[in-house]
Structure formats: structure tokens, C-alpha cells
Amino acid sequence: MKTKILYLVSIFSMFLGLLPSASNAEQISQNWVWSVEQDYAFAATNNEQKRIFGQFCYYKTGLCAYIVDLGITCKKSDVFPSLVNTDAGARKFDLICGRRLHDSNALIIKPFRSIDSLVTHNKNIGFAVALRNGKFKVVHFSLLGSKQAIKMMRSYAKQNAKPPSIDPDDQPSQKPLTPNNPNTKGKYL
């Protein structure tokens, strides 16, 4: 499973415009894998449909974002309303269309702190995305191991961040969930 996830994440990273490099550290935490690369670090998982979901942190900006591949093709910057369901219940999130992958686009999940809290405190997550043709796309991922993988990845990534950390807290958010604000940026290392 580790090899399969690393292979898919490396393909995912290449299509996001990242420079693939030899991993400095590759670790598994249940259904998640995390790795520290030359320009970024990630903690991610994949599902049966070979879709990827995870947190990517970029050293140059010090910014982390949750990115998901749901098999949706879209125009960059398009916004898709999404219902995200976990063991704790369902919430609305916005998915922002990003770079094109091999057969779909990467989607950035906003707001960061709200999705971070769900990812690190639940066992499963599902996305139901409203498509323009009146249909829904539904994709599920396991969150088992996400809290530990993200914690370890952030710890290592924080050491390489430039500019230095703006937010010194590298722990997953403990704050209660707040109303969605699509302009909320990702977490700084």
C-alpha cells in the first residue's frame, strides 16, 4: 500500500507543477503516508478509485493546503460547492479548481482550519460535489492515521519553511468549526 500511495502522490505532485525529488523521509501511519521532499512535504491517502486526498505544505511560502483529486475536470479557479461528511456530521465546503492532473483537476479545499479539524478528528470523509450538469460526484477516503501523519509531516516541514513560520502552532486545529469563508487561506507552517 505504501508504494501505491507514494507512486500516486508523486504523479499528483508532478502534475501540480512540483519538482519531484528523492524523498528525505517516507513513513506510513495506518492508511496515510507522509513524506518530506525537496520543495514540499505531504501527508496523503488514496482510495479504491486511485483518487488522492491530503495536505501539502510548501517551504517557499510556508503555506499548507488540503488538496483532493475527485476525478472532476474544470476550469482553473472555478468554485464547486461540496458537502463533506465525516463521523461528526456534514458541512459545506468550497473546492477551488486547480491545476490539471492526468485525467482531472486538483481541487483546493477551503477554509483550511475547518477541514483540518475534520480530517484530524474523524475516521472517514466523503465528498459530494455538485456538478454543472445537475449531478453529484461522490468520493470517500479513510482518515485512519491522518492525525499522526499530518503532525509528523508538519513537524519536519516547519524546519524547512521559508519564510519562517507565521503561525507557531504546528498542531491540528483545536478550535471549534466556524462558518465557511471561501477567502480563508491555508495554514502557515
Side-chain angles (χ1 to χ4, degrees):
M1 180 174 185
K2 175 183 174 182
T3 305
K4 180 178 162 186
I5 293 172
L6 288 173
Y7 170 74
L8 290 171
V9 170
S10 67
I11 289 174
F12 190 65
S13 297
M14 283 189 320
F15 286 104
L16 289 175
L18 303 172
L19 297 173
S21 62
S23 296
N24 295 328
E26 297 172 352
Q27 301 292 324
I28 289 184
S29 176
Q30 290 177 301
N31 294 338
W32 279 61
V33 64
W34 63 271
S35 182
V36 179
E37 305 293 330
Q38 181 179 338
D39 299 321
Y40 65 98
F42 68 86
T45 190
N46 66 343
N47 64 13
E48 304 81 38
Q49 293 85 31
K50 298 183 182 172
R51 299 297 171 196
I52 299 169
F53 170 59
Q55 185 179 126
F56 291 74
C57 296
Y58 306 93
Y59 308 139
K60 188 174 182 179
T61 62
L63 189 64
C64 296
Y66 278 97
I67 300 173
V68 65
D69 169 19
L70 301 177
I72 295 172
T73 304
C74 52
K75 188 172 81 174
K76 202 168 179 181
S77 300
D78 280 352
V79 178
F80 290 86
S82 176
L83 184 62
V84 175
N85 192 30
T86 65
D87 312 315
R91 293 219 35 223
K92 180 200 172 285
F93 284 87
D94 287 322
L95 305 180
I96 314 301
C97 185
R99 289 182 182 242
R100 178 76 185 222
L101 303 173
H102 57 286
D103 67 345
S104 60
N105 288 75
L107 301 167
I108 302 162
I109 306 165
K110 304 251 180 160
F112 180 89
R113 287 205 184 268
S114 296
I115 193 70
D116 189 53
S117 182
L118 290 177
V119 169
T120 57
H121 291 91
N122 289 284
K123 295 178 182 174
N124 297 290
I125 192 167
F127 295 86
V129 181
L131 302 176
R132 292 196 176 13
N133 62 6
K135 296 182 180 181
F136 284 89
K137 175 78 175 198
V138 179
V139 180
H140 301 275
F141 296 94
S142 169
L143 297 177
L144 296 176
S146 63
K147 186 173 188 169
Q148 182 66 20
I150 290 167
K151 178 181 175 183
M152 296 305 296
M153 178 272 296
R154 284 185 191 167
S155 174
Y156 280 88
K158 189 175 179 179
Q159 298 171 22
N160 295 308
K162 294 164 186 58
S165 173
I166 293 173
D167 181 358
D169 177 21
D170 70 349
Q171 298 299 316
S173 175
Q174 302 296 323
K175 295 181 181 181
L177 299 178
T178 56
N180 284 334
N181 176 355
N183 296 323
T184 303
K185 293 186 177 174
K187 176 183 176 58
Y188 284 91
L189 293 171

